[in-house]
Amino acid sequence: MAAPFLSSPLQITSTSPILFTKVTPTNQIQFNQRTTSTCTSNKLRLLRRCAAAGTAVTDQTEGGEEVLINPTPEEEKREEVVDYDWTEEWYPLYLTRDVPDDSPLGLTVFDRQIVLYRDGEGTLRCYEDRCPHRLAKLSEGQLIDGRLECLYHGWQFEGNGKCVKIPQLPASAKIPKVACVKTYEVKDSQGVVWVWMSTKTPPDPEKLPWFENFARPGFYDISGVHELPYDHSILLENLMDPAHVPISHDRTDFTAKREDAQPLVFEVTERTNRGFAGTWGREKEGGKGSNLLRFSAPCVLQNNREFEGKDGVKNYFSGLFLCRPTGQGKSMLIVRFGVTKRSPLVQVLPLWFWHQNACKVFEQDMGFLSSQNEVLMKEKVPTKELYLNLKSSDTWVAEYRKWMDKVGHGMPYHFGHRTISLPKVPPVVEHAPAGLIAGLSASYPAKGGIGTMQAPNLANRYFRHVIHCRSCSKVIKSFELWKNILFGTAVALTALAILVVSRQWKAVLLGSATLCSAAAYACLRAIQMNTNNFIRTHRRL
């Protein structure tokens, strides 16, 4: 994509905004001038040298307009660090409808492993995913009479985390009081399960998100869960970046078109310690801010729009993205698109079609988002030393990274605009099954926990979405069943056609066999649409 600032003249002045500022944040990593640069552009090296020397830099187009987002020294001095504890937040765990009824579900928030399940009364319970006996994962266990049983030695736990059965304990002995598991508070709100991660501070109901549009009468939404192989901050950046949609997702749906890529107009209307909000629109449309974006701590992003129908009735659209950090270089997303007035296509096409299309969108971005994650971990510097944010495309990204500067000290790790804090523990290296094992795993996936050394490959659509979606799992099983029935019927009809003498009957049987084969192939294609990754045409072998 064209970058006009790369070919524009550089002007060094004493009053223009500075691109990079040397800072020494309290209790955070200090950064000095970088001694090496992998960029071959003399202009980019000049930008960084001037910034490190404290000289202000203006990056302009031929018309003199500044195109980069360069905070002034005064603005950077005003940026503050606020009190923040990542555990004292509500995190989105799962869509309520997709939580299994008959097995525990292993999940993570940052590096904390938890297990979610329904007890005998259907109440949602959440524990630390660790048996107090010998540290086995409870998510590998099973549900017996509404109790969660560790399958290592059979210890059973009920709602409040109390151990109620130890098979190896003598009949005359009492179960030790310390034989209990750490519990977490969970809430089911508007179809999403949320968890409060602090075990010391009581849950704050005021922090539990509430989405007005999803409470409107007649509001219809299409929701899905996706597990992704890059950090939740990279995911949020991507989701708040409307400028990439025409390029990366060209013709994926009915609105994204490459020729529509253009400058965007952004206006930040609100900044708080818990996020920011603003409007954005396309320059060709006069820059009217018809889209309302709001980011709220810890990981909630909304993109709302109001529009009037032909009948003059006001309608509402929401794109809601609930991002959960699931470890270094991993995240889980609950994506919900809703509207008060459905289009005919939404009413006609099945839910699995929209889910597989969403998978395709994430796969189109996956390659460069994963590589972006790798570069951040490798370079170990703030984003201001790596990014060249444009005012006409990257305003929300800059706002988000500056918000991370404020609160990142209260997270296990973060990458901000000016500051970073690196992970204190190395990431868990996960090995996906290969060869025959991979095929068997795809055919017979496990509900619930999967050992960290034999984790699914998140580059695989089946493991990223289908195993988390009850609807798509059922659809694939149905297509698989019908495919086998139709294929068997086609073989039987072909055999009968060989045996019969009458030409008329031969034609009827062979015609029927052909129709059954075509239907079986259609079922196979539907299965592939739901399980196979999208590959761009120019990258196909």
Side-chain angles (χ1 to χ4, degrees):
M1 184 162 47
F5 54 86
L6 291 180
S7 58
S8 62
L10 294 174
Q11 299 178 12
I12 302 175
T13 71
S14 58
T15 58
S16 52
I18 192 164
L19 181 61
F20 304 120
T21 304
K22 186 177 179 180
V23 295
T24 309
T26 306
N27 298 327
Q28 297 193 5
I29 298 175
Q30 299 182 11
F31 297 95
N32 298 322
Q33 178 186 4
R34 298 181 66 191
T35 56
T36 60
S37 174
T38 57
C39 182
T40 59
S41 168
N42 292 330
K43 293 181 180 180
L44 293 179
R45 286 202 298 271
L46 178 58
L47 281 170
R48 289 186 168 90
R49 283 202 302 271
C50 293
T55 307
V57 179
T58 302
D59 227 357
Q60 297 181 339
T61 60
E62 292 181 0
E65 180 184 358
E66 296 179 18
V67 296
L68 292 179
I69 300 173
N70 300 332
T72 64
E74 291 75 18
E75 288 174 336
E76 295 220 355
K77 286 179 182 178
R78 286 199 303 269
E79 290 178 2
E80 60 198 307
V81 174
V82 299
D83 290 336
Y84 188 80
D85 184 344
W86 74 270
T87 65
E88 296 177 3
E89 297 284 359
W90 292 96
Y91 290 86
L93 283 183
Y94 228 61
L95 286 172
T96 309
R97 70 183 187 212
D98 289 330
V99 177
D101 297 317
D102 56 353
S103 64
L105 182 65
L107 301 166
T108 58
V109 180
F110 278 112
D111 57 351
R112 290 196 185 176
Q113 297 181 335
I114 58 179
V115 57
L116 180 70
Y117 76 98
R118 295 183 186 273
D119 64 17
E121 298 178 352
T123 304
L124 290 165
R125 304 288 183 178
C126 186
Y127 302 155
E128 182 180 28
D129 195 6
R130 187 171 71 186
C131 180
H133 178 212
R134 297 261 292 279
L135 311 183
K137 288 172 72 78
L138 292 173
S139 57
E140 295 277 5
Q142 62 184 348
L143 299 182
I144 296 181
D145 298 328
R147 298 189 296 270
L148 178 56
E149 180 185 78
C150 175
L151 270 176
Y152 197 11
H153 293 89
W155 290 29
Q156 292 183 7
F157 305 88
E158 63 181 12
N160 58 2
K162 179 182 177 182
C163 183
V164 294
K165 182 178 180 180
I166 299 179
Q168 298 81 12
L169 201 66
S172 59
K174 293 184 178 180
I175 296 175
K177 291 183 178 181
V178 294
C180 60
V181 290
K182 184 186 295 184
T183 62
Y184 294 94
E185 183 76 15
V186 289
K187 294 286 186 183
D188 179 3
S189 176
Q190 296 184 292
V192 176
V193 181
W194 300 80
V195 62
W196 178 263
M197 287 305 297
S198 177
T199 56
K200 299 177 181 178
T201 307
D204 185 351
E206 295 296 322
K207 287 185 175 181
L208 184 66
W210 178 260
F211 308 106
E212 182 181 358
N213 280 352
F214 284 80
R216 295 184 185 278
F219 197 78
Y220 174 82
D221 73 284
I222 296 176
S223 303
V225 177
H226 303 267
E227 202 164 0
L228 299 164
Y230 38 84
D231 189 74
H232 82 288
S233 66
I234 301 290
L235 173 60
L236 279 165
E237 269 192 12
N238 175 249
L239 295 171
M240 61 178 66
D241 173 19
H244 85 283
V245 174
I247 302 296
S248 184
H249 308 305
D250 181 29
R251 267 74 181 182
T252 299
D253 60 17
F254 309 103
T255 58
K257 297 180 181 179
R258 184 178 192 85
E259 55 270 23
D260 288 341
Q262 60 186 280
L264 303 176
V265 179
F266 301 88
E267 181 183 0
V268 180
T269 58
E270 179 184 326
R271 288 189 184 97
T272 70
N273 294 339
R274 296 193 55 77
F276 57 89
T279 63
W280 67 274
R282 296 176 176 86
E283 188 179 71
K284 289 182 180 178
E285 298 173 358
K288 294 180 180 179
S290 57
N291 298 280
L292 310 175
L293 181 137
R294 177 175 295 277
F295 167 75
S296 306
C299 46
V300 175
L301 182 68
Q302 301 179 66
N303 195 46
N304 299 324
R305 186 169 186 172
E306 299 178 5
F307 57 96
E308 281 193 8
K310 295 179 180 179
D311 52 2
V313 176
K314 184 178 288 187
N315 292 297
Y316 301 88
F317 166 84
S318 276
L320 178 60
F321 307 97
L322 310 176
C323 309
R324 172 164 51 86
T326 58
Q328 297 177 46
K330 297 181 296 181
S331 55
M332 180 172 278
L333 170 68
I334 298 175
V335 56
R336 310 187 73 181
F337 289 106
V339 68
T340 50
K341 185 178 181 181
R342 286 188 285 173
S343 71
L345 276 177
V346 172
Q347 299 180 46
V348 171
L349 294 173
L351 182 62
W352 64 263
F353 173 84
W354 299 107
H355 280 193
Q356 67 83 29
N357 198 63
C359 289
K360 181 180 179 181
V361 169
F362 290 117
E363 286 154 9
Q364 288 172 335
D365 288 343
M366 192 175 298
F368 34 82
L369 294 183
S370 297
S371 63
Q372 182 182 351
N373 198 111
E374 292 172 5
V375 172
L376 282 176
M377 292 300 296
K378 179 181 177 182
E379 294 291 337
K380 296 181 174 61
V381 296
T383 58
K384 76 168 188 177
E385 299 209 22
L386 298 171
Y387 290 6
L388 290 173
N389 287 327
L390 289 177
K391 292 180 178 179
S392 54
S393 65
D394 308 309
T395 295
W396 304 140
V397 173
E399 288 293 325
Y400 174 63
R401 292 298 177 181
K402 285 188 282 187
W403 176 79
M404 292 284 276
D405 287 334
K406 289 183 180 182
V407 303
H409 64 93
M411 299 180 181
Y413 52 87
H414 83 283
F415 286 86
H417 171 68
R418 297 180 298 111
T419 63
I420 69 169
S421 57
L422 298 174
K424 295 180 176 61
V425 295
V428 175
V429 179
E430 298 182 344
H431 302 280
L436 177 62
I437 297 177
L440 292 174
S441 298
S443 301
Y444 305 98
K447 287 188 295 184
I450 299 176
T452 54
M453 293 307 292
Q454 282 295 318
N457 181 359
L458 295 187
N460 184 308
R461 181 182 294 188
Y462 189 89
F463 290 113
R464 281 198 331 274
H465 170 70
V466 175
I467 64 172
H468 298 294
C469 180
R470 184 177 295 187
S471 172
C472 289
S473 296
K474 288 182 179 178
V475 165
I476 290 175
K477 289 177 182 177
S478 297
F479 277 129
E480 188 72 35
L481 176 62
W482 277 107
K483 183 198 72 173
N484 293 336
I485 291 173
L486 290 166
F487 179 75
T489 303
V491 172
L493 290 173
T494 302
L496 284 174
I498 294 173
L499 296 175
V500 299
V501 178
S502 170
R503 290 186 176 181
Q504 184 176 1
W505 276 108
K506 280 183 182 290
V508 170
L509 291 171
L510 288 175
S512 300
T514 301
L515 291 175
C516 287
S517 297
Y521 178 75
C523 290
L524 176 63
R525 290 292 299 147
I527 294 170
Q528 290 175 342
M529 285 177 68
N530 283 279
T531 56
N532 289 6
N533 278 11
F534 167 80
I535 302 175
R536 296 185 188 274
T537 304
H538 70 280
R539 298 186 66 88
R540 295 174 186 169
L541 296 177

XYZ file of all heavy atoms in Angstrom, residues 144 219 261 293 329 344 394-395 406:
67
model
N -19.850 -36.053 37.570
C -20.600 -37.174 38.140
C -21.594 -36.603 39.141
O -21.195 -36.014 40.160
C -19.664 -38.195 38.822
C -18.740 -38.833 37.782
C -20.476 -39.259 39.557
C -17.801 -39.873 38.353
N -33.602 -7.139 18.772
C -32.204 -7.089 18.318
C -31.722 -8.501 18.017
O -31.800 -9.396 18.849
C -31.323 -6.453 19.394
C -29.984 -5.987 18.888
C -29.875 -4.807 18.177
C -28.840 -6.734 19.113
C -28.650 -4.358 17.712
C -27.609 -6.298 18.655
C -27.510 -5.113 17.952
N -10.309 1.745 -0.620
C -9.288 2.160 0.356
C -9.046 3.662 0.210
O -8.818 4.159 -0.897
C -8.003 1.377 0.132
N -16.974 4.302 17.895
C -16.107 3.267 18.451
C -15.847 3.541 19.917
O -15.627 4.679 20.317
C -14.784 3.214 17.688
C -13.784 2.153 18.163
C -13.141 1.436 16.974
C -12.711 2.759 19.068
N 1.171 -14.720 23.122
C 0.976 -15.056 21.718
C -0.313 -15.792 21.425
O -0.454 -16.395 20.367
N -32.440 -9.597 4.066
C -32.974 -10.882 3.588
C -31.922 -11.988 3.570
O -32.231 -13.148 3.841
C -33.458 -10.544 2.171
C -33.747 -9.086 2.207
C -32.734 -8.492 3.129
N -4.537 5.199 11.594
C -4.081 4.475 12.784
C -4.365 5.194 14.101
O -3.729 4.904 15.112
C -2.568 4.225 12.680
C -2.190 3.564 11.371
O -2.803 2.544 11.031
O -1.293 4.087 10.677
N -5.320 6.107 14.118
C -5.594 6.873 15.331
C -5.972 5.980 16.505
O -5.472 6.136 17.621
C -6.718 7.898 15.076
O -6.260 8.849 14.115
C -7.113 8.622 16.355
N -0.605 3.752 30.445
C -1.192 4.111 31.729
C -1.349 2.912 32.660
O -1.084 3.005 33.862
C -2.580 4.734 31.523
C -2.612 6.111 30.917
C -4.058 6.584 30.874
C -4.188 7.973 30.281
N -5.595 8.427 30.284
